Amino acid sequence: PDTLRSGGCRVEVDPGFATRGQGQLAGVKAIMCHHTGSVSANTWKVVRDGRAGLQGLLSQLVLERDGLWRVLGSGQAWHAGTGGPLLGIPTNSANAWTIGIEAVSAGIAQGDWTAAQLAEYPRGVAALCRRYGLTEQQVIFHKTWAPGRKVDLAGWPGDLPAFRAAVARHLVAPAPRPPAPTPTEDVMNPEQNRLLVELHLDLGARDRRT
């Protein structure tokens, strides 16, 4: 969440994200961009929880139609599938070496990307690139990894070269002021939650004694 905020992105954190995933990532060698193929308001829940025949987590991040970033997990996600090798990532191993982003889009050839998504998708990816020491050349679409099997991102104006160029512009620009977390957002890790519960219990016991 802090990485995205450092790039000026609006972020909503799903409770439990810090321990959600299919084991730990081996590292981050690329950022892989997808579209969901659906514009349902609850598409992000499918990405988090999975679907018939495929258990969640399906991607660590979701970009909503209004430009909001949802952080759903921190471990490996089942988003890449068969493909490669590419960028030093062995064949069929991208789940272990990439961060996956699902943008909510119908995925039609003409494109149905909102103005917010056109602005925020490269912005958020650039923030991730800064965090992991990547360049725009290490930003790929799903179809880059699995040509002939996948079509996403479909309809992005200018396709991957234009997307990478937009990421590069953000990488050389000064970092914006991060938005403040929303008051209701749960961004504590499990240890912080445990300590807070202990504090409440201790204060409650003191109140009862007095």
Side-chain angles (χ1 to χ4, degrees), residues 34 47-48 57-61 72-73 77-79 100-102:
H34 308 256
V47 177
R48 181 191 65 187
L57 182 71
L58 303 185
S59 203
Q60 291 92 349
L61 304 169
L72 303 180
W78 300 152
H79 67 96
I101 304 166
E102 288 281 0

Side-chain angles (χ1 to χ4, degrees), residues 165-186:
V167 171
R169 288 193 292 273
H170 285 292
L171 287 175
V172 300
R177 181 189 298 272
T182 57
T184 59
E185 189 173 282
D186 179 10

Side-chain angles (χ1 to χ4, degrees), residues 131-148:
R131 167 66 177 80
Y132 293 102
L134 307 178
T135 73
E136 72 277 6
Q137 296 303 314
Q138 291 161 288
V139 176
I140 58 177
F141 288 176
H142 200 185
K143 63 185 178 183
T144 318
W145 173 252

Side-chain angles (χ1 to χ4, degrees), residues 7-103:
C9 301
R10 291 189 301 116
V11 178
E12 185 167 309
V13 180
D14 192 67
F17 86 96
T19 56
R20 185 178 294 125
Q22 308 291 347
Q24 294 298 310
L25 287 163
V28 180
K29 293 187 176 182
I31 309 298
M32 188 178 294
C33 303
H34 308 256
H35 66 239
T36 58
S38 168
V39 294
S40 165
N42 293 320
T43 295
W44 68 271
K45 293 183 179 180
V46 177
V47 177
R48 181 191 65 187
D49 301 332
R51 54 179 170 77
L54 189 59
Q55 179 185 357
L57 182 71
L58 303 185
S59 203
Q60 291 92 349
L61 304 169
V62 167
L63 177 63
E64 295 285 3
R65 303 285 287 171
D66 65 354
L68 175 72
W69 288 85
R70 293 188 186 275
V71 181
L72 303 180
S74 61
Q76 285 191 45
W78 300 152
H79 67 96
T82 57
L86 185 70
L87 297 174
I89 304 168
T91 301
N92 303 337
S93 300
N95 289 332
W97 291 99
T98 60
I99 291 176
I101 304 166
E102 288 281 0

